[in-house]
């Protein structure tokens, strides 16, 4: 455990040296809705008019996002994924929306979404074709960037299908420059590392300079197995990817699938808690027009959202694996900490996990005391704890307990200040 802390801390010093994309956007993880996992490439509007990829789908989502409280808690971007364009570019070489499914065009859709106080995201691809076989942007980066800017698009998800792997970096960087040249602020969501990993370890400082967030691992599916695989990948690579995350640039573990078919309620809580800990973009892919009230309440939980959106923008990481529990921690502003404990045992009933502050890697913040609040599975003020009191939290199979830990300085102000100063320098070694 100590070894992990030391290693991460050394890398953390490196974070501040990595410049982010200078477009002033995504200073907190992006929040919104993205069509892919739930609606995929459903273009059959004759037999499935309610769920096909058409302007109606995004207009209805925008309506619900405002009327059902989503916008109020921070969900802002309504994002189109693949399968929106026509198979032909227009006579000026520009992409155009499928005329049957988007009869009024993307500009009108953007106007509509903006009139609701929301933002519009769109999708394109670095290579010769999108993953779904629609026109790719290779050779058209400037034209496509300008088209999106002219339409009033606010976010671009740029996929990497049908592209030479050795040209990924060049292509993603060129599109970043093309977006900048339009003069419009457009959040730039990349899949550069996802496609580059099979070739070699990606250059994350180059990625952070070009992109606002980036997908590292495979697409999320509507299953616990998929969510677990993404978490495992993230923890396995945390010493490489955690230090580069911060305001302006985030690791993207893909969409929230909460409110669909594949996750139990405990598993939905685990996804929400861990996506908050990972400072992940919160892009829901579900049907907001018809969502179970418990899933809605979870996705709109302001305390969890606040952990995700914390202004210091530090990504959390796995600090311990013990007895089929995983412990993840995320540093928060004000010297606070968020703590997630996941019960990985998929058999039996709730199991108690003993939280002793002294065993947390960041235990020093609790000198002399901490105030502990449980956010999930239910809200509970657990009160002031010293380093050695033992709290037992009960966690269901494949569920997660999410806690916040707030230092209480007590009379020992000077002592605490000393710890705090030390922790801001690279002096953990002498402390531990
Ligand atoms: C373009 O890049 C410059 C220099 O990095 C930056 O100052 C400017 O804000 C960027 N503009 C946009 C629209 O991203
Ligand atoms: C990127 O831009 C450079 C300079 O304009 C150009 O030489 C190169 O071919 C471009 N690469 C890609 C993949 O677009
Ligand atoms: C502990 O936190 C809870 C929840 O934020 C708060 O209501 C309570 O006053 C805090 N207690 C102390 C001693 O700070």
């Amino acid at each position: 455990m100590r070894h992990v802390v030391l290693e991460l801390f050394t890398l953390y010093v490196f974070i501040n040296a990595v410049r982010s994309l200078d477009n002033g956007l995504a200073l907190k993880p992006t929040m919104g809705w993205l069509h892919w996992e739930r609606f995929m490439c459903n273009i059959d509007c004759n037999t499935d008019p309610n769920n096909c990829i058409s302007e109606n789908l995004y207009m209805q989502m925008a309506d619900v996002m405002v009327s059902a409280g989503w916008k109020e808690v921070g969900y802002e971007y309504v994002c189109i994924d693949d399968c929106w364009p026509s198979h032909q570019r227009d006579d000026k070489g520009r992409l155009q929306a499928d005329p049957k499914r988007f009869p009024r065009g993307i500009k009108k859709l953007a106007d509509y979404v903006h009139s609701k106080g929301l933002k519009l995201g769109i999708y394109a691809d670095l290579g010769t074709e999108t993953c779904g076989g629609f026109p790719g942007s290779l050779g058209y980066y400037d034209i496509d960037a300008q088209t999106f800017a002219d339409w009033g698009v606010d976010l671009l998800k740029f996929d990497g299908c049908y592209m030479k792997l050795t040209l990924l970096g060049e292509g993603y960087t060129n599109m970043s420059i093309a977006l900048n040249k339009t003069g419009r602020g457009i959040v730039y969501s990349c899949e550069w590392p996802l496609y580059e990993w099979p070739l070699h370890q990606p250059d994350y400082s180059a990625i952070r300079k070009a992109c606002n967030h980036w997908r590292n691992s495979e697409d999320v599916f509507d299953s616990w197995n998929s969510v677990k695989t993404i978490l495992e990948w993230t923890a396995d690579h945390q010493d490489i990817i955690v230090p580069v995350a911060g305001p302006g640039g985030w690791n993207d573990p893909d969409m929230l699938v909460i409110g669909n078919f594949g996750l139990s309620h405990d598993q939905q809580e685990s996804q929400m808690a861990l996506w908050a800990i990972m400072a992940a973009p919160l892009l829901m892919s579900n049907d907001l027009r018809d969502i179970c009230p418990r899933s809605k309440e979870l996705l709109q939980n302001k305390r969890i959202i606040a952990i995700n959106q914390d202004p210091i923008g530090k990504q959390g990481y796995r600090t311990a694996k013990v007895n089929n529990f995983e412990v993840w921690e995320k540093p928060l502003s004000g010297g606070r900490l968020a703590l997630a404990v996941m019960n990985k045992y998929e058999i039996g009933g709730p199991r108690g996990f003993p939280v002793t502050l002294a065993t947390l890697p960041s235990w020093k913040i609790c000198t002399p005391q901490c105030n502990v609040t449980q956010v999930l599975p239910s809200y509970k003020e657990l009160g002031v704890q010293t380093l050695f009191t033992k709290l037992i939290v009960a966690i269901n199979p494949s569920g997660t307990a999410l806690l916040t830990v707030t230092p209480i300085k007590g009379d020992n102000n000077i002592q605490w200040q000393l710890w705090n100063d030390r922790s801001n320098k690279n002096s953990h070694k002498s402390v531990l």
Side-chain angles (χ1 to χ4, degrees):
M1 227 198 264
R2 285 182 182 181
H3 177 67
V4 172
V5 179
L6 287 175
E7 194 170 54
L8 282 166
F9 197 83
T10 317
L11 286 160
Y12 157 62
V13 175
F14 173 62
I15 295 182
N16 300 320
V18 183
R19 214 162 46 81
S20 71
L21 171 59
D22 181 22
N23 63 1
L25 299 172
L27 298 180
K28 295 177 178 180
T30 303
M31 292 178 68
W33 179 91
L34 173 61
H35 96 233
W36 187 256
E37 192 287 320
R38 178 63 187 255
F39 295 94
M40 301 182 71
C41 194
N42 178 355
I43 55 175
D44 185 357
C45 292
N46 293 327
T47 53
D48 197 7
N50 237 357
N51 300 303
C52 67
I53 304 312
S54 75
E55 59 188 28
N56 290 332
L57 184 67
Y58 308 97
M59 288 165 72
Q60 288 172 10
M61 289 309 157
D63 291 346
V64 182
M65 276 172 74
V66 175
S67 65
W70 299 98
K71 181 182 169 220
E72 198 190 313
V73 297
Y75 295 96
E76 187 180 18
Y77 288 81
V78 181
C79 301
I80 306 171
D81 207 287
D82 202 351
C83 305
W84 65 270
S86 154
H87 281 285
Q88 266 79 46
R89 288 176 176 269
D90 74 7
D91 52 13
K92 293 189 173 122
R94 293 175 300 194
L95 288 170
Q96 47 190 349
D98 181 277
K100 274 220 187 96
R101 295 181 285 117
F102 294 84
R104 290 183 287 179
I106 304 292
K107 174 144 187 30
K108 284 276 163 23
L109 179 56
D111 291 345
Y112 183 82
V113 168
H114 293 157
S115 77
K116 299 267 158 183
L118 298 168
K119 298 195 153 123
L120 184 73
I122 207 161
Y123 168 100
D125 189 286
L126 187 67
T128 53
E129 278 178 40
T130 72
C131 302
F134 292 83
S137 295
L138 188 63
Y140 293 90
Y141 296 160
D142 288 311
I143 295 177
D144 290 353
Q146 192 57 53
T147 305
F148 299 147
D150 292 343
W151 287 343
V153 163
D154 306 292
L155 178 150
L156 171 65
K157 173 176 173 179
F158 208 39
D159 212 335
C161 279
Y162 302 108
M163 180 66 173
K164 231 190 218 156
L165 292 185
T166 50
L167 292 179
L168 281 170
E170 219 177 276
Y172 273 106
T173 306
N174 285 4
M175 190 49 146
S176 184
I177 294 166
L179 289 170
N180 180 280
K181 277 197 295 203
T182 68
R184 183 174 176 85
I186 298 175
V187 173
Y188 185 34
S189 167
C190 298
E191 306 209 9
W192 175 355
L194 164 64
Y195 287 93
E196 195 156 85
W197 268 109
L199 195 66
H200 52 73
Q201 182 177 319
D203 175 356
Y204 277 94
S205 54
I207 292 167
R208 180 168 168 81
K209 268 181 219 151
C211 305
N212 291 118
H213 24 96
W214 47 85
R215 285 274 311 285
N216 291 307
S217 50
E218 61 192 71
D219 284 10
V220 71
F221 278 60
D222 189 9
S223 77
W224 179 232
N225 203 43
S226 168
V227 170
K228 273 192 304 187
T229 304
I230 291 169
L231 289 172
E232 202 57 41
W233 190 95
T234 303
D236 286 347
H237 297 82
Q238 62 186 10
D239 48 346
I240 299 165
I241 65 169
V242 168
V244 279
W250 311 97
N251 290 296
D252 178 4
D254 210 6
M255 295 158 270
L256 293 167
V257 295
I258 296 165
N260 292 320
F261 311 98
L263 302 186
S264 71
H265 192 75
D266 287 296
Q267 293 162 356
Q268 296 183 42
E269 291 187 348
S270 290
Q271 195 189 23
M272 192 69 189
L274 272 300
W275 262 235
I277 291 281
M278 292 189 290
L282 299 180
L283 293 167
M284 307 175 283
S285 195
N286 49 18
D287 191 346
L288 298 175
R289 302 166 300 185
D290 177 20
I291 184 166
C292 129
R294 254 185 116 187
S295 299
K296 178 179 170 190
E297 194 183 320
L298 174 63
L299 286 161
Q300 294 193 354
N301 184 314
K302 289 182 186 167
R303 293 186 178 94
I304 309 175
I305 292 172
I307 291 170
N308 173 268
Q309 298 278 299
D310 185 83
I312 64 170
K314 291 214 170 132
Q315 180 170 345
Y317 44 88
R318 188 167 71 193
T319 55
K321 261 172 105 164
V322 53
N323 194 17
N324 272 303
F325 287 105
E326 285 189 12
V327 182
W328 292 61
E329 293 183 26
K330 178 186 199 281
L332 301 176
S333 54
R336 293 169 307 129
L337 190 71
L339 180 71
V341 184
M342 182 168 37
N343 179 1
K344 295 280 302 267
Y345 212 38
E346 294 172 30
I347 190 169
R351 288 196 301 149
F353 182 83
V355 178
T356 306
L357 297 177
T359 62
L360 299 179
S362 308
W363 57 276
K364 65 189 180 309
I365 71 163
C366 295
T367 313
Q369 292 178 317
C370 272
N371 188 11
V372 181
T373 303
Q374 178 179 298
V375 176
L376 280 175
S378 57
Y379 182 76
K380 248 189 232 169
E381 293 176 8
L382 301 176
V384 175
Q385 309 291 332
T386 69
L387 279 180
F388 300 101
T389 48
K390 197 192 252 183
L391 291 167
I392 309 279
V393 291
I395 310 162
N396 292 347
S398 66
T400 296
L402 182 63
L403 310 172
T404 59
V405 179
T406 305
I408 295 183
K409 300 175 196 181
D411 320 327
N412 224 342
N413 232 326
I414 295 169
Q415 176 71 18
W416 187 86
Q417 193 57 45
L418 194 68
W419 287 112
N420 199 35
D421 286 353
R422 284 173 147 204
S423 71
N424 286 333
K425 298 187 189 111
N426 191 8
S427 59
H428 275 61
K429 288 182 185 104
S430 59
V431 177
L432 291 172

